[in-house]
Amino acid sequence: MVKKYIAKNFFCFIFILWYSTEIIFSTTLKSFLDLPVGTVNSLLNWLVFLLLIIQTLSLLPSYTRREIFLIAGITVPVALAAFLSGNRPLLSAWMFIVAAKNEDPDRIIGIAYKILLILVPAVIAMRFFGLLEDNTLFMRDIQRFSLGFAHPNTLGVRVLQLIICRFYLHRRQIRAWDYLFAVLAVVFVYKIPNSQTVCICLLLFMALLLFYKCIGRLCPGRMVLYAKGMLAGAFAVNIFSIILSFMDVMANSVLAKIDQWMTCRFSCGHRVLTMYGISFLGRKIYVSDEERKLAGIAEKLWLDNAYMSILLRQGVLVFLIFSVGYLWLMKYMAVQKRYVLLFILFLFSVYGIMEAGMYTLGQNVFLIFFADLLYRKRGNPE
């Protein structure tokens, strides 16, 4: 009995362990059990890696030839790119996807929501009790508060995850209270961490949902066209992010203003591209302060656009695998008429213009639905 229970819930245990510590270690916490947070986090990552391998090996007899072929064909380049670049979030996400063969992704989203619902307020409370520091920053003379998280944007993205998970779980009966909760979240994110990307994403998501509800009632036959619009939008966001980052946008006054409004995401990506170039299977990109010190690079660099981050860090092959796979997943959900999930995937594609976390499971837990595509799972239409 106990053995069967453990086998049935082993993946959920791994996810809870990883996702909880992912949030805890994204705070201003300096040490844990008298050990530096970085050391504990590294040890836990290796433990999660080992547990995921055990979970995957236990599933080997249930894999079909098609699944083994796909898993091997994607794992090899993703693992090589992670080794060459030293950047492992995409590999981590893929390992969770592979190990989720017998899991219900809705259950995983429910677990993530509960963890966020407990830990986000807990971190904020610890800040006010003086157990965590507040990393206060200024941008354009606006004071930004992190309330115990490592960066104001980290607080913003946790609130975004919380709201999106809530809407997804309530998708079949979204109430006025859910919209009010989201509006309060927008006000909070704008006033406290001043994370403008999160504010825009939340407002966009609510607009998409309201439009979807109107179309569903007045013109249900138009939903296919609406879904195609989401697919086209995600494709355009990806392509134009790359095109604008390859261009010297500062040479054009209109593009320069767009870039400035986007907090220089394209010009910064262009600068990193000029310094490092493109590789087929990834290379080390020294962007953070710690990385640049080790590499002896004095120039301040940023690489926050998710699409350029994948392309430059993981290489052309992995960028194509991810880009095609993401659009394929969106199309798969559109065919199954799982429209709320389709909007969420589109939302994170827009989020990817400003934040590299779009392709990490820690910031985009909805990547777990790649398991539906990989294992041909079918969800209920919405």
Side-chain angles (χ1 to χ4, degrees):
M1 182 72 73
V2 175
K3 191 175 181 181
K4 285 183 178 180
Y5 178 82
I6 293 173
K8 185 178 179 181
N9 296 281
F10 190 55
F11 180 88
C12 291
F13 166 75
I14 300 171
F15 181 81
I16 291 169
L17 173 66
W18 171 78
Y19 197 65
S20 300
T21 53
E22 176 81 7
I23 295 173
I24 292 168
F25 294 147
S26 67
T27 66
T28 55
L29 187 70
K30 297 290 192 299
S31 63
F32 186 81
L33 299 175
D34 294 328
L35 289 172
V37 163
T39 302
V40 179
N41 193 27
S42 179
L43 290 172
L44 276 170
N45 283 335
W46 281 109
L47 174 61
V48 169
F49 179 77
L50 177 62
L51 293 174
L52 284 172
I53 289 177
I54 293 171
Q55 169 72 359
T56 303
L57 290 176
S58 71
L59 295 171
L60 273 180
S62 66
Y63 289 131
T64 65
R65 287 184 180 180
R66 168 193 167 274
E67 291 165 357
I68 291 173
F69 176 77
L70 281 173
I71 290 169
I74 294 173
T75 301
V76 171
V78 170
L80 283 173
F83 174 75
L84 292 172
S85 67
N87 186 257
R88 295 185 294 272
L90 201 57
L91 176 61
S92 173
W94 176 243
M95 289 187 66
F96 271 102
I97 291 162
V98 171
K101 178 177 173 65
N102 296 329
E103 302 302 320
D104 178 6
D106 282 14
R107 185 187 181 195
I108 303 304
I109 300 300
I111 292 171
Y113 175 68
K114 290 173 184 175
I115 292 172
L116 288 162
L117 201 58
I118 294 169
L119 289 184
V120 172
V123 170
I124 295 173
M126 289 171 72
R127 156 65 186 92
F128 285 110
F129 283 116
L131 300 174
L132 291 173
E133 297 177 3
D134 189 1
N135 186 16
T136 305
L137 302 177
F138 285 87
M139 186 177 73
R140 301 189 186 102
D141 297 325
I142 298 174
Q143 195 170 12
R144 308 174 67 200
F145 302 95
S146 70
L147 298 186
F149 285 93
H151 192 281
N153 284 343
T154 309
L155 171 60
V157 75
R158 297 305 178 197
V159 174
L160 174 67
Q161 290 173 307
L162 179 65
I163 298 299
I164 299 302
C165 287
R166 179 185 178 88
F167 267 94
Y168 178 74
L169 294 171
H170 294 176
R171 64 193 180 279
R172 291 188 174 86
Q173 194 176 1
I174 298 173
R175 297 158 294 183
W177 172 248
D178 293 311
Y179 286 107
L180 177 60
F181 195 47
V183 170
L184 292 173
V186 171
V187 174
F188 173 82
V189 169
Y190 184 77
K191 291 290 186 181
I192 306 301
N194 192 239
S195 183
Q196 296 178 20
T197 302
V198 171
C199 288
I200 292 169
C201 285
L202 283 172
L203 290 170
L204 174 62
F205 182 65
M206 285 189 288
L208 288 171
L209 273 181
L210 288 169
F211 192 53
Y212 159 62
K213 293 292 184 182
C214 291
I215 289 181
R217 289 177 181 175
L218 302 175
C219 310
R222 300 275 181 172
M223 283 308 304
V224 174
L225 186 62
Y226 193 33
K228 288 181 179 178
M230 297 296 101
L231 276 166
F235 176 76
V237 162
N238 188 325
I239 292 298
F240 282 110
S241 287
I242 298 298
I243 291 174
L244 291 176
S245 297
F246 269 65
M247 296 171 58
D248 182 10
V249 292
M250 302 309 293
N252 183 290
S253 59
V254 175
L255 293 179
K257 286 181 180 179
I258 294 173
D259 183 58
Q260 189 175 12
W261 185 67
M262 294 286 185
T263 327
C264 302
R265 290 303 192 260
F266 305 125
S267 57
C268 288
H270 181 75
R271 192 175 301 120
V272 177
L273 171 68
T274 304
M275 288 184 65
Y276 291 97
I278 301 174
S279 62
F280 184 69
L281 263 180
R283 64 174 53 162
K284 290 186 182 296
I285 303 290
Y286 301 101
V287 175
S288 70
D289 292 341
E290 185 178 343
E291 290 172 337
R292 288 186 296 103
K293 284 179 183 177
L294 291 172
I297 299 172
E299 185 179 357
K300 192 82 172 175
L301 298 172
W302 291 271
L303 191 56
D304 292 332
N305 181 283
Y307 305 104
M308 282 301 288
S309 181
I310 298 174
L311 180 61
L312 297 182
R313 291 181 185 275
Q314 309 288 324
V316 174
L317 180 58
V318 174
F319 170 77
L320 291 174
I321 290 172
F322 178 81
S323 298
V324 172
Y326 200 85
L327 291 171
W328 191 5
L329 177 61
M330 289 183 67
K331 183 178 180 181
Y332 190 70
M333 296 307 164
V335 170
Q336 294 189 25
K337 298 182 180 180
R338 297 163 72 181
Y339 295 118
V340 174
L341 183 53
L342 176 67
F343 303 153
I344 291 171
L345 292 170
F346 170 72
L347 180 74
F348 276 102
S349 73
V350 175
Y351 177 77
I353 300 174
M354 300 294 290
E355 299 292 341
M358 170 257 190
Y359 66 90
T360 68
L361 196 65
Q363 292 191 33
N364 182 5
V365 70
F366 291 89
L367 292 175
I368 199 69
F369 282 94
F370 267 109
D372 281 16
L373 180 61
L374 177 62
Y375 300 118
R376 291 179 175 173
K377 299 179 185 179
R378 296 194 64 84
N380 295 321
E382 296 155 8

